[in-house]
Amino acid sequence: MKLRQEVIEYCLTLENTYEDYPFHDSNWAVIRHGMNKKMFACIFERQGYIWINVKGEPELLDLHRQMYTAVVPAFHMNKEHWNSIILDGTVPEEEICAMIVHSYMLTKPKIRINKSSN
């Protein structure tokens, strides 16, 4: 996975998602949940590569940063909760997909159980 469109198409295979361009800049594609509108992937070109910002737990984000030099604290986002994946060919595609899915799961709408008293 190296191309912007490949990343966007993969993200859109996840349930109830859509592509958005909220920054009025075609370089920045944001993929959101349809229900709560939260973003789980931000895709952009920087320094000649496609980058993807994904959300994660701080410990896991740190682990990915240690494992891959192309995973860095997120560009333009909270570095404690987001990483950037630089698509330079050094991060295995399965890992990229897993990080995207993890971000999707962390940001998806929570199911509320309505407890009614009888």
Side-chain angles (χ1 to χ4, degrees), residues 17 38 40 48 50 72 89-90 107:
T17 58
K38 287 186 179 180
F40 65 92
I50 298 300
V72 296
T90 62
T107 55

Side-chain angles (χ1 to χ4, degrees), residues 16-79:
N16 197 14
T17 58
Y18 68 98
E19 182 178 357
D20 190 16
Y21 292 85
F23 308 120
H24 307 289
D25 179 349
S26 61
N27 185 44
W28 288 81
V30 172
I31 310 299
R32 298 181 184 275
H33 291 277
M35 296 284 289
N36 66 5
K37 313 287 188 244
K38 287 186 179 180
M39 88 170 157
F40 65 92
C42 193
I43 303 148
F44 55 98
E45 186 173 340
R46 183 168 192 265
Q47 300 173 337
Y49 293 103
I50 298 300
W51 292 43
I52 313 166
N53 286 353
V54 292
K55 189 169 186 167
E57 292 94 356
E59 316 77 44
L60 194 54
L61 295 174
D62 233 16
L63 177 65
H64 287 134
R65 293 171 191 167
Q66 291 172 26
M67 290 173 62
Y68 304 106
T69 57
V71 176
V72 296
F75 178 73
H76 246 312
M77 297 188 72
N78 181 313
K79 286 140 183 45

